[in-house]
Amino acid sequence: MPTTLPVPIEFRLPEGWQPAPPDEVGAPGVAFVALHPQPDSGFTANITIDGEYRPDEVTLDELADASVERLREAGESVVVAARREIGPEGAPGLTQRVSFSAVAGGVRRELVQSQVYLSMLDVHDPRKRAVIRMVLTATAEQHDDVLGDFQEFLRTVGPDTAAGS
């Protein structure tokens, strides 16, 4: 069952990317999925969005580490290729690129994820912190080709101020 995001956001998908029901594409537990129009050797690159309220002081690094551990449970040869902090102090973020091997569609594939974590304060109650995670998953072969689309998408992500009114 798809989840909802803890804070409303707005964004625009890059040209050609299509939204898909999370449960129907094997992504339960995420709030949103978009699929690339051209699969690579039977694997469709995708963007997922999920998030949660984090009342604790857990850092974005710790959340990113937890994502890597979840990948290790489902895949093999998990390697964090890059990680860096982004954004201003009031709205910190973190990006990481992870490569791994996993079975998808009955075939072992070399995959790459670009993960972005954004920490957002609730506009109605600044004591509440939400973390939104956006992930691009693609084959190692196609990742660099769709990364520009993901970056274009990320530039459009922001709080949906109209949703609260």
Side-chain angles (χ1 to χ4, degrees):
M1 171 179 217
T3 62
T4 57
L5 293 174
V7 292
I9 63 170
E10 61 183 7
F11 54 85
R12 282 189 323 275
L13 289 175
E15 189 174 328
W17 289 76
Q18 293 296 314
D23 285 338
E24 291 180 23
V25 295
V30 302
F32 181 81
V33 175
L35 302 176
H36 189 264
Q38 298 170 328
D40 177 39
S41 301
F43 183 85
T44 302
N46 59 81
I47 295 171
T48 59
I49 305 172
D50 63 19
E52 61 186 333
Y53 273 113
R54 294 303 306 210
D56 53 17
E57 295 298 318
V58 112
T59 67
L60 295 178
D61 275 317
E62 291 169 323
L63 293 173
D65 287 342
S67 288
V68 170
E69 288 309 310
R70 282 191 300 279
L71 282 174
R72 285 192 172 117
E73 292 170 9
E76 298 174 357
S77 306
V78 179
V79 175
V80 177
R83 181 183 287 182
R84 70 182 175 94
E85 293 179 6
I86 58 170
E89 187 176 321
L94 182 136
T95 67
Q96 74 176 358
R97 183 173 172 158
V98 183
S99 60
F100 60 102
S101 176
V103 174
V107 176
R108 178 154 304 281
R109 301 176 189 279
E110 297 304 314
L111 301 174
V112 176
Q113 282 190 347
S114 288
Q115 303 175 348
V116 176
Y117 297 81
L118 296 179
S119 185
M120 302 172 83
L121 296 179
D122 187 307
V123 292
H124 302 293
D125 184 353
R127 294 168 300 180
K128 292 182 178 177
R129 175 179 72 128
V131 175
I132 305 298
R133 181 175 69 144
M134 293 153 291
V135 179
L136 167 67
T137 305
T139 62
E141 177 103 3
Q142 189 180 32
H143 183 269
D144 289 348
D145 293 336
V146 296
L147 183 59
D149 284 354
F150 186 56
Q151 291 167 333
E152 176 185 326
F153 159 76
L154 291 171
R155 284 190 287 275
T156 71
V157 174
D160 185 352
T161 54
S165 50

